[in-house]
mmCIF file of all heavy atoms in Angstrom:
data_model
loop_
_atom_site.group_PDB
_atom_site.id
_atom_site.type_symbol
_atom_site.label_atom_id
_atom_site.label_comp_id
_atom_site.label_asym_id
_atom_site.label_seq_id
_atom_site.Cartn_x
_atom_site.Cartn_y
_atom_site.Cartn_z
ATOM 1 N N PHE A 27 -11.036 -29.422 28.240
ATOM 2 C CA PHE A 27 -11.782 -28.244 28.656
ATOM 3 C C PHE A 27 -12.551 -28.629 29.912
ATOM 4 O O PHE A 27 -13.141 -29.708 29.979
ATOM 5 C CB PHE A 27 -12.728 -27.775 27.541
ATOM 6 C CG PHE A 27 -12.021 -27.005 26.472
ATOM 7 C CD1 PHE A 27 -11.260 -27.656 25.512
ATOM 8 C CD2 PHE A 27 -12.087 -25.621 26.437
ATOM 9 C CE1 PHE A 27 -10.591 -26.952 24.532
ATOM 10 C CE2 PHE A 27 -11.416 -24.907 25.465
ATOM 11 C CZ PHE A 27 -10.663 -25.569 24.508
ATOM 12 N N LEU A 35 -17.998 -18.488 36.521
ATOM 13 C CA LEU A 35 -17.696 -17.511 35.471
ATOM 14 C C LEU A 35 -16.523 -17.937 34.595
ATOM 15 O O LEU A 35 -16.246 -17.291 33.588
ATOM 16 C CB LEU A 35 -17.396 -16.145 36.095
ATOM 17 C CG LEU A 35 -18.557 -15.519 36.870
ATOM 18 C CD1 LEU A 35 -18.090 -14.265 37.592
ATOM 19 C CD2 LEU A 35 -19.712 -15.211 35.943
ATOM 20 N N ALA A 36 -15.844 -19.012 34.947
ATOM 21 C CA ALA A 36 -14.597 -19.379 34.283
ATOM 22 C C ALA A 36 -14.681 -20.728 33.585
ATOM 23 O O ALA A 36 -15.465 -21.601 33.958
ATOM 24 C CB ALA A 36 -13.461 -19.420 35.303
ATOM 25 N N VAL A 37 -13.858 -20.878 32.568
ATOM 26 C CA VAL A 37 -13.570 -22.173 31.959
ATOM 27 C C VAL A 37 -12.059 -22.376 32.051
ATOM 28 O O VAL A 37 -11.293 -21.424 32.168
ATOM 29 C CB VAL A 37 -14.051 -22.270 30.493
ATOM 30 C CG1 VAL A 37 -15.559 -22.203 30.407
ATOM 31 C CG2 VAL A 37 -13.426 -21.217 29.625
ATOM 32 N N HIS A 38 -11.670 -23.620 32.002
ATOM 33 C CA HIS A 38 -10.252 -23.968 32.131
ATOM 34 C C HIS A 38 -9.863 -24.876 30.973
ATOM 35 O O HIS A 38 -10.653 -25.718 30.558
ATOM 36 C CB HIS A 38 -9.996 -24.702 33.451
ATOM 37 C CG HIS A 38 -10.617 -24.037 34.636
ATOM 38 N ND1 HIS A 38 -9.986 -23.040 35.342
ATOM 39 C CD2 HIS A 38 -11.829 -24.196 35.220
ATOM 40 C CE1 HIS A 38 -10.775 -22.631 36.315
ATOM 41 N NE2 HIS A 38 -11.904 -23.315 36.261
ATOM 42 N N ILE A 39 -8.655 -24.706 30.474
ATOM 43 C CA ILE A 39 -8.085 -25.649 29.509
ATOM 44 C C ILE A 39 -6.867 -26.261 30.191
ATOM 45 O O ILE A 39 -5.932 -25.546 30.570
ATOM 46 C CB ILE A 39 -7.629 -24.984 28.197
ATOM 47 C CG1 ILE A 39 -8.734 -24.154 27.561
ATOM 48 C CG2 ILE A 39 -7.156 -26.057 27.220
ATOM 49 C CD1 ILE A 39 -8.275 -23.403 26.312
ATOM 50 N N TRP A 54 -4.903 -23.115 31.774
ATOM 51 C CA TRP A 54 -5.245 -21.740 31.427
ATOM 52 C C TRP A 54 -6.691 -21.524 31.832
ATOM 53 O O TRP A 54 -7.556 -22.362 31.541
ATOM 54 C CB TRP A 54 -5.078 -21.499 29.930
ATOM 55 C CG TRP A 54 -3.652 -21.318 29.541
ATOM 56 C CD1 TRP A 54 -2.727 -22.307 29.327
ATOM 57 C CD2 TRP A 54 -2.973 -20.090 29.329
ATOM 58 N NE1 TRP A 54 -1.526 -21.753 29.000
ATOM 59 C CE2 TRP A 54 -1.647 -20.386 28.993
ATOM 60 C CE3 TRP A 54 -3.365 -18.757 29.397
ATOM 61 C CZ2 TRP A 54 -0.714 -19.412 28.718
ATOM 62 C CZ3 TRP A 54 -2.432 -17.780 29.122
ATOM 63 C CH2 TRP A 54 -1.118 -18.109 28.793
ATOM 64 N N THR A 55 -6.963 -20.419 32.495
ATOM 65 C CA THR A 55 -8.298 -20.087 32.963
ATOM 66 C C THR A 55 -8.712 -18.748 32.375
ATOM 67 O O THR A 55 -7.936 -17.798 32.396
ATOM 68 C CB THR A 55 -8.323 -20.018 34.505
ATOM 69 O OG1 THR A 55 -7.877 -21.280 35.029
ATOM 70 C CG2 THR A 55 -9.716 -19.709 35.020
ATOM 71 N N PHE A 56 -9.936 -18.698 31.855
ATOM 72 C CA PHE A 56 -10.456 -17.441 31.314
ATOM 73 C C PHE A 56 -11.977 -17.471 31.413
ATOM 74 O O PHE A 56 -12.575 -18.502 31.763
ATOM 75 C CB PHE A 56 -9.971 -17.204 29.878
ATOM 76 C CG PHE A 56 -10.262 -18.324 28.919
ATOM 77 C CD1 PHE A 56 -11.407 -18.304 28.145
ATOM 78 C CD2 PHE A 56 -9.377 -19.379 28.777
ATOM 79 C CE1 PHE A 56 -11.676 -19.326 27.253
ATOM 80 C CE2 PHE A 56 -9.631 -20.410 27.887
ATOM 81 C CZ PHE A 56 -10.787 -20.384 27.120
ATOM 82 N N GLY A 57 -12.608 -16.373 31.113
ATOM 83 C CA GLY A 57 -14.045 -16.236 31.277
ATOM 84 C C GLY A 57 -14.856 -17.086 30.320
ATOM 85 O O GLY A 57 -14.526 -17.204 29.142
ATOM 86 N N ARG A 58 -15.915 -17.663 30.853
ATOM 87 C CA ARG A 58 -16.841 -18.427 30.010
ATOM 88 C C ARG A 58 -17.453 -17.521 28.944
ATOM 89 O O ARG A 58 -17.646 -17.937 27.804
ATOM 90 C CB ARG A 58 -17.926 -19.055 30.893
ATOM 91 C CG ARG A 58 -18.939 -19.853 30.123
ATOM 92 C CD ARG A 58 -19.838 -20.671 30.998
ATOM 93 N NE ARG A 58 -20.784 -19.866 31.753
ATOM 94 C CZ ARG A 58 -21.877 -20.349 32.338
ATOM 95 N NH1 ARG A 58 -22.141 -21.647 32.275
ATOM 96 N NH2 ARG A 58 -22.680 -19.570 33.007
ATOM 97 N N ALA A 59 -17.695 -16.254 29.297
ATOM 98 C CA ALA A 59 -18.234 -15.294 28.327
ATOM 99 C C ALA A 59 -17.245 -15.057 27.183
ATOM 100 O O ALA A 59 -17.654 -14.830 26.046
ATOM 101 C CB ALA A 59 -18.576 -13.983 29.018
ATOM 102 N N LEU A 60 -15.940 -15.120 27.474
ATOM 103 C CA LEU A 60 -14.930 -14.964 26.431
ATOM 104 C C LEU A 60 -14.991 -16.132 25.449
ATOM 105 O O LEU A 60 -14.886 -15.935 24.236
ATOM 106 C CB LEU A 60 -13.536 -14.840 27.043
ATOM 107 C CG LEU A 60 -12.361 -14.796 26.073
ATOM 108 C CD1 LEU A 60 -12.486 -13.637 25.099
ATOM 109 C CD2 LEU A 60 -11.049 -14.716 26.848
ATOM 110 N N LEU A 61 -15.176 -17.335 25.957
ATOM 111 C CA LEU A 61 -15.312 -18.490 25.068
ATOM 112 C C LEU A 61 -16.525 -18.316 24.168
ATOM 113 O O LEU A 61 -16.443 -18.517 22.956
ATOM 114 C CB LEU A 61 -15.430 -19.785 25.874
ATOM 115 C CG LEU A 61 -15.671 -21.058 25.060
ATOM 116 C CD1 LEU A 61 -14.560 -21.295 24.045
ATOM 117 C CD2 LEU A 61 -15.834 -22.251 25.992
ATOM 118 N N GLU A 62 -17.637 -17.904 24.732
ATOM 119 C CA GLU A 62 -18.847 -17.697 23.931
ATOM 120 C C GLU A 62 -18.620 -16.631 22.861
ATOM 121 O O GLU A 62 -18.951 -16.825 21.694
ATOM 122 C CB GLU A 62 -20.021 -17.295 24.818
ATOM 123 C CG GLU A 62 -21.288 -17.087 24.030
ATOM 124 C CD GLU A 62 -22.478 -16.715 24.884
ATOM 125 O OE1 GLU A 62 -22.325 -16.501 26.092
ATOM 126 O OE2 GLU A 62 -23.576 -16.630 24.312
ATOM 127 N N VAL A 74 -5.307 -14.033 26.726
ATOM 128 C CA VAL A 74 -6.125 -14.998 25.987
ATOM 129 C C VAL A 74 -6.958 -14.279 24.932
ATOM 130 O O VAL A 74 -7.652 -13.314 25.239
ATOM 131 C CB VAL A 74 -7.062 -15.783 26.940
ATOM 132 C CG1 VAL A 74 -7.905 -16.776 26.158
ATOM 133 C CG2 VAL A 74 -6.264 -16.488 28.037
ATOM 134 N N LEU A 76 -9.477 -15.286 21.362
ATOM 135 C CA LEU A 76 -10.144 -16.328 20.592
ATOM 136 C C LEU A 76 -10.809 -15.711 19.379
ATOM 137 O O LEU A 76 -11.238 -14.555 19.428
ATOM 138 C CB LEU A 76 -11.242 -17.014 21.430
ATOM 139 C CG LEU A 76 -10.799 -17.872 22.599
ATOM 140 C CD1 LEU A 76 -10.823 -17.092 23.875
ATOM 141 C CD2 LEU A 76 -11.694 -19.069 22.712
ATOM 142 N N VAL A 86 -7.438 -20.369 19.533
ATOM 143 C CA VAL A 86 -7.184 -19.935 20.898
ATOM 144 C C VAL A 86 -5.720 -19.507 20.948
ATOM 145 O O VAL A 86 -4.828 -20.316 20.690
ATOM 146 C CB VAL A 86 -7.456 -21.061 21.920
ATOM 147 C CG1 VAL A 86 -7.124 -20.602 23.334
ATOM 148 C CG2 VAL A 86 -8.902 -21.543 21.829
ATOM 149 N N LEU A 88 -2.749 -18.017 23.258
ATOM 150 C CA LEU A 88 -2.350 -17.898 24.656
ATOM 151 C C LEU A 88 -0.995 -17.211 24.748
ATOM 152 O O LEU A 88 -0.034 -17.670 24.122
ATOM 153 C CB LEU A 88 -2.287 -19.289 25.298
ATOM 154 C CG LEU A 88 -3.555 -20.147 25.190
ATOM 155 C CD1 LEU A 88 -3.286 -21.565 25.657
ATOM 156 C CD2 LEU A 88 -4.691 -19.511 25.962
#
Side-chain angles (χ1 to χ4, degrees):
F27 281 77
L35 297 173
V37 294
H38 312 273
I39 307 176
W54 282 81
T55 303
F56 55 94
R58 179 169 71 163
L60 175 58
L61 176 59
E62 181 179 6
V74 180
L76 291 95
V86 177
L88 305 171

